[in-house]
Short mmCIF file of all heavy atoms in Angstrom, two decimals:
data_model
loop_
_atom_site.label_atom_id
_atom_site.label_comp_id
_atom_site.label_asym_id
_atom_site.label_seq_id
_atom_site.Cartn_x
_atom_site.Cartn_y
_atom_site.Cartn_z
N GLY A 214 27.69 -74.47 -35.00
CA GLY A 214 27.88 -73.69 -36.23
C GLY A 214 26.60 -72.96 -36.53
O GLY A 214 25.69 -73.52 -37.14
N SER A 215 26.52 -71.70 -36.06
CA SER A 215 25.33 -70.86 -36.27
C SER A 215 24.04 -71.51 -35.77
O SER A 215 22.97 -71.32 -36.37
CB SER A 215 25.21 -70.44 -37.73
OG SER A 215 26.35 -69.67 -38.11
N ALA A 216 24.15 -72.29 -34.70
CA ALA A 216 22.93 -72.83 -34.08
C ALA A 216 22.21 -71.68 -33.38
O ALA A 216 22.84 -70.80 -32.81
CB ALA A 216 23.29 -73.92 -33.08
N LYS A 217 20.90 -71.68 -33.47
CA LYS A 217 20.11 -70.61 -32.84
C LYS A 217 18.72 -71.12 -32.52
O LYS A 217 18.37 -72.27 -32.87
CB LYS A 217 20.06 -69.37 -33.73
CG LYS A 217 19.76 -69.64 -35.20
CD LYS A 217 19.91 -68.34 -35.99
CE LYS A 217 19.68 -68.55 -37.47
NZ LYS A 217 20.83 -69.10 -38.18
N LYS A 218 17.94 -70.25 -31.88
CA LYS A 218 16.60 -70.63 -31.45
C LYS A 218 15.78 -71.16 -32.62
O LYS A 218 15.08 -72.16 -32.51
CB LYS A 218 15.94 -69.37 -30.85
CG LYS A 218 14.64 -69.59 -30.16
CD LYS A 218 14.26 -68.35 -29.37
CE LYS A 218 13.66 -67.26 -30.23
NZ LYS A 218 13.01 -66.19 -29.45
N SER A 219 15.90 -70.50 -33.76
CA SER A 219 15.02 -70.86 -34.89
C SER A 219 15.40 -72.16 -35.60
O SER A 219 14.60 -72.70 -36.35
CB SER A 219 14.99 -69.71 -35.90
OG SER A 219 16.29 -69.47 -36.39
N ASN A 220 16.64 -72.64 -35.41
CA ASN A 220 16.97 -73.91 -36.07
C ASN A 220 17.27 -75.04 -35.09
O ASN A 220 17.58 -76.16 -35.50
CB ASN A 220 18.13 -73.73 -37.08
CG ASN A 220 19.43 -73.24 -36.41
OD1 ASN A 220 19.61 -73.39 -35.22
ND2 ASN A 220 20.31 -72.66 -37.20
N ALA A 221 17.17 -74.75 -33.79
CA ALA A 221 17.54 -75.76 -32.78
C ALA A 221 16.66 -77.02 -32.88
O ALA A 221 17.17 -78.14 -32.85
CB ALA A 221 17.44 -75.15 -31.38
N ALA A 222 15.37 -76.82 -33.01
CA ALA A 222 14.46 -77.98 -32.97
C ALA A 222 14.75 -78.94 -34.12
O ALA A 222 14.81 -80.16 -33.92
CB ALA A 222 13.01 -77.50 -33.01
N GLU A 223 14.96 -78.41 -35.31
CA GLU A 223 15.17 -79.33 -36.45
C GLU A 223 16.52 -80.03 -36.37
O GLU A 223 16.66 -81.18 -36.78
CB GLU A 223 15.00 -78.60 -37.79
CG GLU A 223 15.90 -77.42 -37.97
CD GLU A 223 15.75 -76.76 -39.34
OE1 GLU A 223 14.76 -77.06 -40.04
OE2 GLU A 223 16.62 -75.95 -39.71
N LEU A 224 17.51 -79.35 -35.80
CA LEU A 224 18.81 -80.02 -35.61
C LEU A 224 18.69 -81.11 -34.55
O LEU A 224 19.14 -82.24 -34.75
CB LEU A 224 19.88 -78.99 -35.21
CG LEU A 224 20.33 -78.05 -36.33
CD1 LEU A 224 21.04 -76.81 -35.77
CD2 LEU A 224 21.25 -78.77 -37.32
N LEU A 225 18.04 -80.78 -33.46
CA LEU A 225 17.93 -81.73 -32.34
C LEU A 225 17.00 -82.91 -32.67
O LEU A 225 17.00 -83.92 -31.96
CB LEU A 225 17.45 -81.01 -31.07
CG LEU A 225 18.45 -80.00 -30.50
CD1 LEU A 225 17.80 -79.16 -29.39
CD2 LEU A 225 19.71 -80.69 -29.97
N ALA A 226 16.23 -82.79 -33.74
CA ALA A 226 15.34 -83.90 -34.13
C ALA A 226 16.12 -85.03 -34.81
O ALA A 226 15.58 -86.12 -35.01
CB ALA A 226 14.26 -83.38 -35.07
N GLN A 227 17.38 -84.77 -35.17
CA GLN A 227 18.18 -85.81 -35.83
C GLN A 227 18.64 -86.85 -34.82
O GLN A 227 19.01 -86.50 -33.69
CB GLN A 227 19.40 -85.17 -36.50
CG GLN A 227 19.06 -84.08 -37.51
CD GLN A 227 18.20 -84.61 -38.65
OE1 GLN A 227 18.55 -85.59 -39.29
NE2 GLN A 227 17.07 -83.97 -38.89
N VAL A 228 18.64 -88.11 -35.23
CA VAL A 228 18.92 -89.19 -34.24
C VAL A 228 20.29 -89.10 -33.60
O VAL A 228 20.45 -89.45 -32.43
CB VAL A 228 18.79 -90.62 -34.84
CG1 VAL A 228 17.39 -91.04 -34.98
CG2 VAL A 228 19.57 -90.79 -36.11
N ASP A 229 21.29 -88.62 -34.35
CA ASP A 229 22.64 -88.61 -33.79
C ASP A 229 23.10 -87.23 -33.33
O ASP A 229 24.28 -87.04 -33.03
CB ASP A 229 23.63 -89.20 -34.80
CG ASP A 229 23.44 -90.71 -34.93
OD1 ASP A 229 23.59 -91.40 -33.91
OD2 ASP A 229 23.09 -91.19 -36.03
N ILE A 230 22.20 -86.27 -33.27
CA ILE A 230 22.56 -84.95 -32.72
C ILE A 230 22.07 -84.89 -31.28
O ILE A 230 20.87 -84.94 -31.01
CB ILE A 230 21.96 -83.81 -33.58
CG1 ILE A 230 22.56 -83.88 -35.00
CG2 ILE A 230 22.26 -82.45 -32.93
CD1 ILE A 230 22.16 -82.73 -35.92
N ASP A 231 23.05 -84.81 -30.37
CA ASP A 231 22.74 -84.95 -28.94
C ASP A 231 22.96 -83.65 -28.17
O ASP A 231 23.23 -83.68 -26.96
CB ASP A 231 23.61 -86.06 -28.34
CG ASP A 231 23.54 -87.33 -29.15
OD1 ASP A 231 22.42 -87.74 -29.51
OD2 ASP A 231 24.61 -87.91 -29.45
N GLY A 232 22.88 -82.55 -28.87
CA GLY A 232 23.05 -81.28 -28.18
C GLY A 232 23.66 -80.27 -29.13
O GLY A 232 23.96 -80.58 -30.29
N LEU A 233 23.85 -79.06 -28.63
CA LEU A 233 24.37 -77.98 -29.46
C LEU A 233 25.48 -77.25 -28.71
O LEU A 233 25.39 -77.05 -27.48
CB LEU A 233 23.24 -77.00 -29.81
CG LEU A 233 22.08 -77.62 -30.62
CD1 LEU A 233 20.90 -76.65 -30.68
CD2 LEU A 233 22.51 -78.00 -32.03
N LEU A 234 26.52 -76.87 -29.46
CA LEU A 234 27.57 -75.99 -28.93
C LEU A 234 27.37 -74.66 -29.64
O LEU A 234 27.49 -74.59 -30.87
CB LEU A 234 28.95 -76.60 -29.22
CG LEU A 234 30.17 -75.82 -28.70
CD1 LEU A 234 30.09 -75.56 -27.20
CD2 LEU A 234 31.46 -76.59 -29.01
N ILE A 235 27.04 -73.66 -28.86
CA ILE A 235 26.53 -72.42 -29.44
C ILE A 235 27.47 -71.26 -29.14
O ILE A 235 27.81 -71.03 -27.98
CB ILE A 235 25.13 -72.10 -28.84
CG1 ILE A 235 24.22 -73.33 -28.96
CG2 ILE A 235 24.51 -70.89 -29.52
CD1 ILE A 235 23.39 -73.56 -27.74
N GLY A 236 27.85 -70.53 -30.16
CA GLY A 236 28.69 -69.35 -29.98
C GLY A 236 27.82 -68.11 -29.90
O GLY A 236 27.25 -67.78 -28.86
N GLY A 237 27.69 -67.42 -31.03
CA GLY A 237 26.99 -66.13 -31.08
C GLY A 237 25.65 -66.08 -30.36
O GLY A 237 25.39 -65.17 -29.56
#
Side-chain angles (χ1 to χ4, degrees):
S215 299
K217 46 187 178 280
K218 189 168 80 167
S219 60
N220 61 21
E223 57 177 14
L224 287 162
L225 293 170
Q227 303 300 307
V228 282
D229 288 300
I230 298 185
D231 309 313
L233 299 169
L234 181 55
I235 309 139

